Amino acid sequence: MNYPNGKKSSSQSLRKKEKPDFSNRGMTLEEDIAVTNEYYRIANIANIHKKPTPVQIVDVHYPKRSAAVIKEAYFKQASTTDFNGIYRGSYIDFEAKETKNKTSFPLSNIHQHQIDHMKDCHHHGGICFLIIKFSLRDETYLLPAENLFHYWEAQFSGGRKSISYLDIKSKGEALPFHYQARVDYIKVLDKLYF
């Protein structure tokens, strides 16, 4: 039915709307991991937290007595990895990265100081890994540090500057999305290390 002004009724326009797109749930990988870690903590499964980035505050403005606005700040030092904590008596340390690339994960998304930190933790018996989300595929994988180190070193001797999606899929472990533990990496740790 059309109105006298020539416009279509709202019921006709509703029928022609496309299906909603749920590919981007409005959550980033780090937010999903934070929700997962909170679930682990409340359920007494593990105690893992996001590490704060050390910042040196240089200039602060006080527009009101009860409020402060940071005007200038600098990173005190290079950050290590995103998350650390403890699970079943073992130290856990990992980095989380997202990529919009469908075919590979660029190694330029990781920094040498992060690799060095993970190597040190791994050397002392810690469990280290990388969680990689392929945003356009809506797929997330856990790649153990031992595999990551191989790719990192290979790039300096003529190897690829990225890890192919197929290699991550075969050498890593898929992390399906769940309601409470959105990025349920503990199940993979149980499979690989315990």
Side-chain angles (χ1 to χ4, degrees):
M1 175 189 297
N2 291 333
Y3 290 107
N5 64 4
K7 292 187 178 180
K8 293 181 180 180
S9 70
S10 60
S11 63
Q12 286 178 335
S13 63
L14 285 176
R15 272 188 262 135
K16 291 188 179 184
K17 281 189 179 177
E18 293 180 23
K19 292 180 182 177
D21 179 15
F22 293 107
S23 62
N24 183 357
R25 295 185 191 100
M27 297 293 283
T28 67
L29 176 60
E30 285 195 7
E31 289 170 335
D32 285 339
I33 292 171
V35 169
T36 301
N37 287 344
E38 183 63 9
Y39 167 73
Y40 290 160
R41 188 188 65 74
I42 290 169
N44 203 25
I45 294 170
N47 190 356
I48 299 170
H49 297 277
K50 176 145 175 54
K51 293 185 209 173
T53 304
V55 176
Q56 174 68 47
I57 298 170
V58 178
D59 185 23
V60 181
H61 177 65
Y62 296 93
K64 296 179 185 175
R65 290 182 109 188
S66 62
V69 177
I70 298 171
K71 293 290 190 180
E72 188 177 0
Y74 300 97
F75 294 116
K76 280 186 183 179
Q77 62 193 33
S79 179
T80 54
T81 51
D82 290 330
F83 298 91
N84 72 339
I86 192 156
Y87 173 63
R88 293 178 67 178
S90 293
Y91 177 74
I92 306 295
D93 199 290
F94 66 97
E95 180 70 15
K97 296 290 185 185
E98 287 185 70
T99 183
K100 290 185 178 181
N101 193 320
K102 281 185 154 185
T103 59
S104 65
F105 173 75
L107 289 168
S108 60
N109 288 353
I110 306 171
H111 303 287
Q112 183 66 53
H113 66 271
Q114 293 173 317
I115 294 292
D116 293 343
H117 172 77
M118 291 175 84
K119 282 182 176 179
D120 286 347
C121 293
H122 180 71
H123 173 76
H124 289 285
I127 297 173
C128 299
F129 52 93
L130 182 63
I131 292 180
I132 304 168
K133 180 173 183 175
F134 289 90
S135 302
L136 297 177
R137 292 181 179 271
D138 200 22
E139 294 177 18
T140 306
Y141 294 90
L142 184 150
L143 184 67
E146 307 84 80
N147 294 334
L148 172 62
F149 299 154
H150 164 74
Y151 290 103
W152 183 262
E153 296 307 324
Q155 74 175 325
F156 301 114
S157 55
R160 291 177 53 129
K161 305 261 187 245
S162 63
I163 308 171
S164 76
Y165 165 76
L166 294 176
D167 281 355
I168 290 171
K169 195 170 180 177
S170 68
K171 296 192 183 340
E173 296 285 335
L175 298 172
F177 187 87
H178 296 291
Y179 177 69
Q180 290 181 313
R182 293 180 178 174
V183 184
D184 196 2
Y185 59 89
I186 289 292
K187 285 186 180 174
V188 172
L189 297 184
D190 283 340
K191 177 182 173 183
L192 295 176
Y193 299 100
F194 297 101

